[in-house]
Amino acid sequence: MNIRILQEYDAQLYQEVRLSALKLNPEAFGSTYEREAGFSLETVKERVKPTGDKYMVGAFDDGESLVGMVTFVRESNLKIRHKGNVFGMYIAPDNRGQGLGKSLMSELISRARNCDGLEQIKLTVVSTNDSAKKLYKSLGFEVYGTERHALKYRGHYFYEDLMVLFI
């Protein structure tokens, strides 16, 4: 596996995996397949383009297929710039259980530690997603709260656990 920061030229691969994630695990994301299927390639390129405060870490198999990804975004407001957020963690089903999630998150955390003034990394995870919570806890994240009815999809509510890692 090759773990690296996604670049604009990865936009098409990213979009294919992202749409698949939204179809397969709609309860795990704040967005929907219907919303993102209409994004232009230019919109996706802008989303993928790394900056000092935003980047996506991708996992590529030996055939150079994108099989996992996670996004880091640092807060921009002056009073909360000491915080960063993790979004969109996803591992393709055939690649789960191989440690890719830990590799992706370890790379994300390592890069985040180099952000001047960053003190904490936050994320949310659907409360019933025990495997994801186990992964995050193994990396030092701790639950600091639960948001009831955090997501509503097709008439069903999902709770989310709020987690933080102090770096």
Side-chain angles (χ1 to χ4, degrees), residues 37-48:
F39 287 178
S40 70
L41 187 56
E42 287 307 310
T43 298
V44 177
K45 283 182 180 179
E46 192 56 37
R47 178 185 247 191
V48 171

Side-chain angles (χ1 to χ4, degrees), residues 102 106 109 131-141 163:
K102 191 163 199 166
S106 294
I109 293 165
S131 60
K133 289 193 306 187
K134 181 179 175 184
L135 164 67
Y136 300 139
K137 286 179 181 179
S138 77
L139 293 164
F141 283 85
M163 301 185 81

Side-chain angles (χ1 to χ4, degrees), residues 72-85:
F72 173 82
V73 180
R74 185 177 186 169
E75 294 288 353
S76 58
N77 185 307
L78 179 65
K79 291 183 178 180
I80 56 174
R81 269 194 66 71
H82 63 288
K83 300 176 187 180
N85 298 287

